Amino acid sequence: MATPGVAPPAGGGLDSAERGSATAQAASAVGSAAYTGAKMGAQAASRGVVQLSIYVQHNPAGVKVLCCLIGLALSVISILSIVGIAQFAEEEKWTARDSLQSAYTFIFGLLIVIIDMKSEWADKLCGIQSKI
């Protein structure tokens, strides 16, 4: 019996069996809410990753143009260096290592241009972009 003006015991007046059952029900409700929340979070993250990967696969047009120009500049400067027109220090002898480095820079500059150009244009060159 509850006395007026006196608070019920901490268990709310329930015996230990009822408290255990209520605790189990609360834990079950919290667990299912956590599972539902985690599932919704995973779905949202999956959608975000898919959208990000689509954006990363297709660079914006400005970035593609800039990369093509930089790749073209690398290739042109490398060829001019190999030929001897764009050598920066005339005091130093041009070695085979310098020529090899310029050849590699030329190749990688061309790769940058091919990878970032329009696929229709690159496919006219023996389908080279799809092969890379």
Side-chain angles (χ1 to χ4, degrees):
M1 273 203 202
T3 323
V6 176
L14 301 175
D15 64 355
S16 65
E18 291 174 341
R19 267 185 284 185
S21 159
T23 303
Q25 288 175 351
S28 173
V30 168
S32 69
Y35 175 76
T36 303
K39 190 174 180 181
M40 289 172 50
Q43 289 172 350
S46 174
R47 285 190 304 266
V49 167
V50 168
Q51 289 175 353
L52 180 64
S53 66
I54 289 171
Y55 183 73
V56 169
Q57 287 177 358
H58 302 288
N59 287 334
V63 173
K64 284 186 176 185
V65 169
L66 182 66
C67 287
C68 281
L69 291 175
I70 290 173
L72 189 62
L74 276 173
S75 297
V76 168
I77 291 172
S78 297
I79 289 296
L80 293 176
S81 294
I82 291 172
V83 172
I85 297 173
Q87 291 181 352
F88 296 108
E90 292 187 19
E91 304 91 35
E92 298 178 17
K93 275 289 219 191
W94 192 258
T95 63
R97 180 177 179 246
D98 296 330
S99 297
L100 183 63
Q101 184 176 359
S102 291
Y104 280 131
T105 306
F106 170 74
I107 291 169
F108 289 123
L110 280 182
L111 278 175
I112 291 170
V113 171
I114 291 170
I115 288 171
D116 282 329
M117 71 175 21
K118 279 188 171 181
S119 59
E120 297 87 27
W121 297 350
D123 288 337
K124 289 181 183 178
L125 300 170
C126 304
I128 196 161
Q129 191 179 46
S130 59
K131 292 177 184 175
I132 294 177

